[in-house]
Amino acid sequence: DAGVTQSPTHLIKTRGQQVTLRCSPISGHKSVSWYQQVLGQGPQFIFQYYEKEERGRGNFPDRFSARQFPNYSSELNVNALLLGDSALYLCASSPRDRGRFQPQHFGDGTRLSIL
Amino acid sequence: QQQVKQSPQSLIVQKGGISIINCAYENTAFDYFPWYQQFPGKGPALLIAIRPDVSEKKEGRFTISFNKSAKQFSLHIMDSQPGDSATYFCAASPPAGIGQGGKLIFGQGTELSVKP
């Protein structure tokens, strides 16, 4: 079975631009979470979506937004890009949102570079 | 209270040795503690995880030891191999609540190098 897939793998943007990153979860997984990983640090939680609803939000500005589609895929949007947004953006999926915490499985990420 | 502190930052071990990475947390309500392995250019891969009602969990060469009273947990890699050279992250899940769904809090990472 395919794992979590993310596209594109690499992206170069300039300050002020907008970007959309895409994620397809593992088949059968209904929950998608987004993380930002700056070089040399651990991933930082941005959002979690389950059944198209936002279930969790990290400490990120409103320039960051996301949505989930009926097929459980998800998009992360970042507006008005800043140099500090340069990072690896990771998507993770898990089977469901209910009950005890579900193991999250990560994709290989989108490397975003801001010039 | 939401932090997870990981040490050491880097670790060099000889082939066949034991690698030990430690993490400490503050929030006693955390209820899920996974370890992830990350190779350059790849996303984190789930290695092993533990819940606080268990003091130890072993899967192959990987063991998590959990000390609830000290709010610490550690990863032991037995018979370390050069292929284990990667960055390892501990993480913890805060209690479920409004806006907290699906959130993992990660440590800063440990770069492990296993010398042949």
Side-chain angles (χ1 to χ4, degrees):
Chain A
D1 286 343
V4 176
T5 58
Q6 293 186 243
S7 64
T9 55
H10 294 84
L11 204 50
I12 299 175
K13 292 284 188 178
T14 57
R15 283 179 296 176
Q17 284 189 311
Q18 175 265 339
V19 68
T20 298
L21 311 180
R22 296 175 176 81
C23 171
S24 292
I26 293 171
S27 178
H29 284 194
K30 298 183 178 181
S31 175
V32 169
S33 296
W34 287 94
Y35 291 79
Q36 180 196 65
Q37 186 177 24
V38 174
L39 195 63
Q41 297 183 19
Q44 296 287 316
F45 174 75
I46 308 175
F47 287 113
Q48 192 230 3
Y49 276 77
Y50 177 77
E51 293 286 6
K52 297 180 290 181
E53 290 186 3
E54 181 184 304
R55 296 299 185 95
R57 173 183 283 259
N59 188 24
F60 280 81
D62 292 343
R63 299 185 296 108
F64 289 76
S65 63
R67 56 179 175 169
Q68 187 177 32
F69 299 97
N71 66 353
Y72 304 110
S73 67
S74 177
E75 287 182 351
L76 175 69
N77 296 283
V78 187
N79 295 321
L81 287 166
L82 303 174
L83 291 177
D85 295 332
S86 295
L88 180 68
Y89 288 86
L90 295 162
C91 174
S93 76
S94 57
R96 56 187 169 89
D97 182 50
R98 303 295 183 187
R100 303 188 78 180
F101 193 88
Q102 297 293 302
Q104 293 190 353
H105 300 272
F106 285 82
D108 287 337
T110 293
R111 172 69 64 189
L112 176 62
S113 299
I114 310 301
L115 303 180
Chain B
Q1 242 199 346
Q2 294 279 12
Q3 284 188 318
V4 176
K5 295 183 179 179
Q6 184 172 345
S7 63
Q9 190 173 358
S10 62
L11 181 62
I12 299 175
V13 174
Q14 290 297 122
K15 179 182 176 182
I18 303 174
S19 304
I20 302 174
I21 305 171
N22 302 298
C23 282
Y25 63 97
E26 299 169 346
N27 190 336
T28 55
F30 287 168
D31 66 355
Y32 176 76
F33 302 87
W35 284 90
Y36 283 85
Q37 177 190 58
Q38 187 174 29
F39 292 103
K42 296 292 186 180
L46 180 63
L47 262 181
I48 186 173
I50 198 168
R51 297 195 188 270
D53 49 356
V54 176
S55 61
E56 186 175 281
K57 183 175 181 180
K58 183 177 182 179
E59 290 184 0
R61 296 186 295 111
F62 301 94
T63 300
I64 298 180
S65 297
F66 189 84
N67 187 329
K68 189 173 182 178
S69 61
K71 294 184 285 186
Q72 295 175 347
F73 59 110
S74 60
L75 175 69
H76 291 65
I77 306 175
M78 311 300 288
D79 187 27
S80 298
Q81 299 297 313
D84 296 331
S85 298
T87 301
Y88 292 80
F89 292 96
C90 63
S93 168
I98 297 174
Q100 294 295 313
K103 179 178 183 176
L104 277 174
I105 297 171
F106 283 83
Q108 300 91 327
T110 296
E111 190 173 348
L112 172 65
S113 177
V114 181
K115 299 299 185 184

Coordinates of all heavy atoms in Angstrom, one line a residue, chain A residues 60-113:
Chain A
F60 N 0.6 29.2 14.8 CA 1.1 29.7 13.5 C 0.1 30.9 13.2 O -1.1 30.9 13.5 CB 1.1 28.7 12.4 CG 2.3 27.8 12.5 CD1 2.3 26.7 13.4 CD2 3.4 28.0 11.6 CE1 3.5 25.9 13.4 CE2 4.5 27.2 11.7 CZ 4.5 26.2 12.6
P61 N 0.6 31.9 12.4 CA -0.2 33.0 12.1 C -1.3 32.7 11.1 O -1.3 31.6 10.5 CB 0.8 34.0 11.4 CG 2.0 33.2 11.0 CD 2.0 32.0 11.9
D62 N -2.2 33.6 10.9 CA -3.4 33.4 10.0 C -3.0 33.3 8.6 O -3.8 32.9 7.7 CB -4.4 34.5 10.2 CG -5.0 34.5 11.6 OD1 -4.9 33.4 12.2 OD2 -5.6 35.5 12.0
R63 N -1.7 33.6 8.2 CA -1.3 33.4 6.9 C -1.3 31.9 6.5 O -1.3 31.5 5.3 CB 0.2 33.9 6.7 CG 0.4 35.4 7.0 CD 1.8 35.8 6.7 NE 2.8 35.2 7.6 CZ 3.6 34.2 7.1 NH1 3.6 33.8 5.9 NH2 4.5 33.7 8.0
F64 N -1.3 31.0 7.5 CA -1.4 29.6 7.2 C -2.8 29.1 7.3 O -3.6 29.4 8.3 CB -0.6 28.8 8.3 CG 0.9 29.0 8.2 CD1 1.6 30.2 8.6 CD2 1.7 28.0 7.6 CE1 2.9 30.3 8.4 CE2 3.1 28.1 7.5 CZ 3.7 29.3 7.9
S65 N -3.3 28.4 6.3 CA -4.6 27.8 6.3 C -4.6 26.5 5.6 O -3.6 26.1 4.9 CB -5.6 28.7 5.6 OG -5.2 28.9 4.2
A66 N -5.6 25.7 5.9 CA -5.6 24.3 5.3 C -7.1 23.9 5.1 O -8.0 24.6 5.5 CB -4.9 23.3 6.2
R67 N -7.2 22.9 4.3 CA -8.6 22.3 4.1 C -8.4 20.8 3.8 O -7.3 20.4 3.4 CB -9.3 23.0 3.1 CG -8.7 23.1 1.7 CD -9.6 23.8 0.7 NE -8.9 24.0 -0.6 CZ -9.6 24.4 -1.7 NH1 -10.9 24.6 -1.6 NH2 -9.0 24.5 -2.8
Q68 N -9.5 20.1 4.0 CA -9.5 18.7 3.7 C -10.7 18.4 2.8 O -11.8 18.9 2.9 CB -9.6 17.8 5.0 CG -9.5 16.3 4.7 CD -9.5 15.5 6.0 OE1 -10.2 15.8 6.9 NE2 -8.8 14.4 6.0
F69 N -10.4 17.5 1.8 CA -11.4 17.2 0.8 C -12.2 15.9 1.1 O -11.8 15.2 2.0 CB -10.7 17.1 -0.6 CG -10.1 18.4 -1.0 CD1 -8.7 18.6 -0.8 CD2 -10.8 19.5 -1.5 CE1 -8.1 19.8 -1.1 CE2 -10.2 20.7 -1.9 CZ -8.8 20.8 -1.7
P70 N -13.3 15.7 0.4 CA -14.1 14.5 0.7 C -13.3 13.2 0.6 O -13.7 12.2 1.2 CB -15.3 14.6 -0.3 CG -15.4 16.0 -0.6 CD -14.0 16.6 -0.5
N71 N -12.3 13.2 -0.3 CA -11.5 11.9 -0.4 C -10.4 11.9 0.7 O -9.5 11.1 0.6 CB -10.9 11.8 -1.8 CG -9.9 12.9 -2.1 OD1 -9.7 13.9 -1.3 ND2 -9.2 12.8 -3.2
Y72 N -10.4 12.8 1.6 CA -9.5 12.9 2.8 C -8.1 13.5 2.4 O -7.3 13.7 3.3 CB -9.3 11.6 3.5 CG -10.6 11.0 4.0 CD1 -11.1 9.9 3.3 CD2 -11.3 11.6 5.0 CE1 -12.4 9.4 3.7 CE2 -12.6 11.1 5.4 CZ -13.1 10.0 4.7 OH -14.3 9.5 5.1
S73 N -7.9 13.8 1.2 CA -6.7 14.5 0.9 C -6.7 16.0 1.4 O -7.8 16.4 1.8 CB -6.4 14.6 -0.7 OG -7.4 15.4 -1.3
S74 N -5.6 16.6 1.5 CA -5.6 17.9 2.1 C -4.6 18.9 1.4 O -3.7 18.5 0.7 CB -5.1 17.8 3.6 OG -5.0 19.0 4.3
E75 N -4.9 20.2 1.6 CA -4.0 21.2 1.1 C -3.6 22.1 2.2 O -4.5 22.5 3.1 CB -4.7 22.0 0.0 CG -4.8 21.3 -1.3 CD -5.5 22.2 -2.4 OE1 -6.0 23.3 -2.0 OE2 -5.5 21.8 -3.5
L76 N -2.4 22.6 2.2 CA -1.9 23.6 3.1 C -1.6 24.9 2.3 O -0.8 24.8 1.3 CB -0.7 23.2 3.9 CG 0.0 24.2 4.8 CD1 -0.9 24.5 6.0 CD2 1.4 23.7 5.2
N77 N -2.1 26.0 2.7 CA -1.9 27.2 2.0 C -1.1 28.2 2.9 O -1.4 28.3 4.1 CB -3.2 27.9 1.5 CG -3.9 27.1 0.5 OD1 -3.6 27.0 -0.6 ND2 -5.0 26.3 1.0
V78 N -0.1 28.9 2.3 CA 0.6 29.9 3.1 C 0.6 31.1 2.2 O 1.1 31.1 1.1 CB 2.0 29.5 3.4 CG1 2.7 30.5 4.3 CG2 2.0 28.1 4.1
N79 N 0.1 32.2 2.7 CA 0.1 33.5 2.0 C 1.2 34.4 2.5 O 1.8 34.2 3.6 CB -1.3 34.2 2.3 CG -2.4 33.5 1.7 OD1 -2.3 32.9 0.6 ND2 -3.5 33.4 2.4
A80 N 1.5 35.4 1.7 CA 2.4 36.5 2.1 C 3.7 35.9 2.6 O 4.1 36.2 3.7 CB 1.8 37.4 3.0
L81 N 4.3 35.0 1.8 CA 5.5 34.2 2.3 C 6.6 35.1 2.8 O 6.9 36.2 2.3 CB 6.0 33.4 1.2 CG 5.2 32.2 0.8 CD1 5.6 31.6 -0.5 CD2 5.2 31.1 1.9
L82 N 7.2 34.7 3.9 CA 8.4 35.3 4.5 C 9.6 34.4 4.4 O 9.4 33.2 4.3 CB 8.1 35.6 6.0 CG 6.8 36.5 6.3 CD1 6.6 36.5 7.8 CD2 7.0 37.9 5.8
L83 N 10.8 35.0 4.6 CA 12.0 34.2 4.5 C 11.9 33.1 5.6 O 12.4 32.0 5.3 CB 13.2 35.1 4.7 CG 13.6 36.1 3.6 CD1 14.8 36.9 4.0 CD2 13.8 35.3 2.3
G84 N 11.4 33.4 6.7 CA 11.3 32.4 7.8 C 10.4 31.2 7.6 O 10.3 30.3 8.4
D85 N 9.6 31.3 6.5 CA 8.7 30.2 6.1 C 9.5 29.1 5.4 O 8.9 28.0 5.1 CB 7.6 30.6 5.2 CG 6.6 31.6 6.0 OD1 6.5 31.5 7.2 OD2 6.0 32.4 5.3
S86 N 10.8 29.3 5.1 CA 11.6 28.3 4.5 C 11.7 27.1 5.4 O 12.2 27.2 6.5 CB 13.0 28.8 4.1 OG 12.9 29.8 3.2
A87 N 11.3 25.9 5.0 CA 11.3 24.8 5.8 C 10.8 23.5 5.0 O 10.4 23.6 3.9 CB 10.3 25.0 7.0
L88 N 10.9 22.4 5.7 CA 10.3 21.2 5.2 C 8.9 21.1 5.8 O 8.7 21.1 7.0 CB 11.1 20.0 5.6 CG 10.6 18.6 5.1 CD1 10.7 18.5 3.6 CD2 11.4 17.5 5.8
Y89 N 7.9 21.0 4.9 CA 6.5 20.9 5.4 C 6.0 19.4 5.3 O 6.1 18.8 4.2 CB 5.6 21.8 4.6 CG 5.8 23.2 5.0 CD1 6.8 24.0 4.4 CD2 5.1 23.9 6.0 CE1 7.1 25.3 4.8 CE2 5.3 25.2 6.4 CZ 6.4 25.9 5.8 OH 6.6 27.1 6.1
L90 N 5.7 18.9 6.4 CA 5.3 17.5 6.5 C 3.8 17.3 6.7 O 3.2 18.0 7.4 CB 6.1 16.8 7.7 CG 7.6 16.8 7.6 CD1 8.2 16.6 8.9 CD2 8.1 15.7 6.6
C91 N 3.4 16.2 6.1 CA 2.0 15.8 6.2 C 2.0 14.4 6.9 O 2.8 13.6 6.6 CB 1.3 15.7 4.9 SG -0.4 15.1 4.9
A92 N 1.1 14.2 7.9 CA 1.0 12.9 8.5 C -0.5 12.5 8.5 O -1.4 13.3 8.7 CB 1.5 13.0 10.0
S93 N -0.7 11.2 8.4 CA -2.1 10.7 8.4 C -2.2 9.7 9.5 O -1.2 9.0 9.9 CB -2.5 10.1 7.1 OG -1.9 8.9 6.8
S94 N -3.4 9.5 10.0 CA -3.7 8.5 11.0 C -5.2 8.0 10.8 O -5.9 8.7 10.1 CB -3.6 9.1 12.4 OG -4.4 10.2 12.6
P95 N -5.5 6.9 11.3 CA -6.8 6.3 10.9 C -8.0 7.1 11.3 O -8.9 7.2 10.5 CB -6.8 4.9 11.7 CG -5.3 4.6 11.9 CD -4.7 6.0 12.1
R96 N -8.0 7.7 12.5 CA -9.2 8.4 12.9 C -8.8 9.4 14.0 O -7.7 9.5 14.4 CB -10.2 7.4 13.4 CG -9.7 6.5 14.6 CD -10.7 5.4 14.9 NE -10.1 4.4 15.8 CZ -10.1 4.5 17.1 NH1 -10.6 5.5 17.7 NH2 -9.6 3.5 17.8
D97 N -9.8 10.1 14.4 CA -9.6 11.1 15.4 C -10.1 10.8 16.8 O -9.7 11.3 17.8 CB -10.3 12.4 14.9 CG -10.0 13.6 15.8 OD1 -8.9 13.8 16.2 OD2 -11.0 14.3 16.2
R98 N -11.0 9.8 16.8 CA -11.7 9.5 18.1 C -10.8 8.6 19.0 O -9.9 7.9 18.5 CB -13.0 8.8 17.8 CG -13.9 9.6 16.9 CD -14.4 10.9 17.6 NE -15.4 11.6 16.7 CZ -15.8 12.8 17.0 NH1 -15.4 13.4 18.1 NH2 -16.7 13.4 16.2
G99 N -11.1 8.6 20.2 CA -10.5 7.7 21.1 C -9.1 8.1 21.4 O -8.7 9.3 21.3
R100 N -8.2 7.2 21.9 CA -6.9 7.5 22.3 C -6.1 7.9 21.0 O -6.4 7.5 19.9 CB -6.3 6.3 23.0 CG -7.0 5.9 24.2 CD -6.3 4.8 25.0 NE -5.3 5.4 25.8 CZ -4.5 4.7 26.6 NH1 -4.6 3.4 26.7 NH2 -3.6 5.3 27.4
F101 N -5.0 8.6 21.3 CA -4.2 9.1 20.2 C -3.8 8.0 19.2 O -3.4 6.9 19.6 CB -2.9 9.8 20.8 CG -2.2 10.6 19.8 CD1 -2.5 11.9 19.6 CD2 -1.2 10.0 19.0 CE1 -1.9 12.7 18.6 CE2 -0.5 10.8 18.0 CZ -0.9 12.1 17.9
Q102 N -3.9 8.3 17.9 CA -3.6 7.4 16.9 C -2.3 7.6 16.3 O -1.9 8.8 16.1 CB -4.7 7.5 15.8 CG -6.1 7.2 16.2 CD -6.3 5.7 16.5 OE1 -6.0 4.9 15.7 NE2 -6.7 5.5 17.8
P103 N -1.5 6.5 16.1 CA -0.1 6.7 15.5 C -0.2 7.5 14.2 O -1.1 7.3 13.4 CB 0.3 5.3 15.2 CG -0.4 4.5 16.2 CD -1.8 5.1 16.3
Q104 N 0.7 8.4 14.0 CA 0.8 9.3 12.8 C 1.9 8.8 11.9 O 3.0 8.5 12.4 CB 0.9 10.7 13.2 CG -0.3 11.3 13.9 CD -0.2 12.8 14.0 OE1 0.8 13.4 13.7 NE2 -1.3 13.4 14.5
H105 N 1.6 8.7 10.6 CA 2.6 8.3 9.7 C 2.9 9.4 8.7 O 1.9 10.0 8.1 CB 2.1 7.0 8.9 CG 1.8 5.9 9.8 ND1 2.8 5.0 10.1 CD2 0.7 5.5 10.5 CE1 2.3 4.1 11.0 NE2 1.0 4.4 11.2
F106 N 4.1 9.8 8.5 CA 4.5 10.9 7.8 C 4.9 10.7 6.3 O 5.4 9.6 6.0 CB 5.7 11.6 8.5 CG 5.4 12.3 9.7 CD1 5.3 11.7 10.9 CD2 5.2 13.7 9.7 CE1 5.0 12.4 12.1 CE2 4.9 14.4 10.9 CZ 4.8 13.7 12.1
G107 N 4.6 11.6 5.5 CA 5.2 11.6 4.1 C 6.6 12.2 4.2 O 7.1 12.5 5.2
D108 N 7.2 12.3 3.0 CA 8.6 12.8 2.9 C 8.7 14.3 2.8 O 9.8 14.9 2.7 CB 9.3 12.1 1.7 CG 9.7 10.7 2.0 OD1 9.8 10.3 3.2 OD2 9.8 9.9 1.0
G109 N 7.5 15.0 2.7 CA 7.5 16.4 2.9 C 7.7 17.2 1.6 O 8.1 16.6 0.5
T110 N 7.4 18.5 1.7 CA 7.7 19.4 0.6 C 8.8 20.4 1.1 O 8.5 21.0 2.2 CB 6.5 20.2 0.2 OG1 5.5 19.3 -0.4 CG2 6.8 21.3 -0.8
R111 N 9.9 20.5 0.4 CA 10.9 21.4 0.8 C 10.6 22.8 0.2 O 10.7 22.9 -1.0 CB 12.3 20.9 0.3 CG 13.4 21.9 0.5 CD 13.8 22.1 2.0 NE 14.3 20.9 2.6 CZ 14.5 20.8 3.9 NH1 14.3 21.8 4.7 NH2 15.0 19.7 4.5
L112 N 10.3 23.7 1.0 CA 9.9 25.1 0.5 C 11.1 26.0 0.8 O 11.5 26.2 1.9 CB 8.7 25.6 1.2 CG 8.2 27.0 0.9 CD1 7.9 27.2 -0.6 CD2 7.0 27.4 1.8
S113 N 11.6 26.7 -0.2 CA 12.6 27.7 -0.1 C 12.1 29.0 -0.5 O 11.5 29.2 -1.6 CB 13.8 27.3 -1.0 OG 14.4 26.0 -0.6

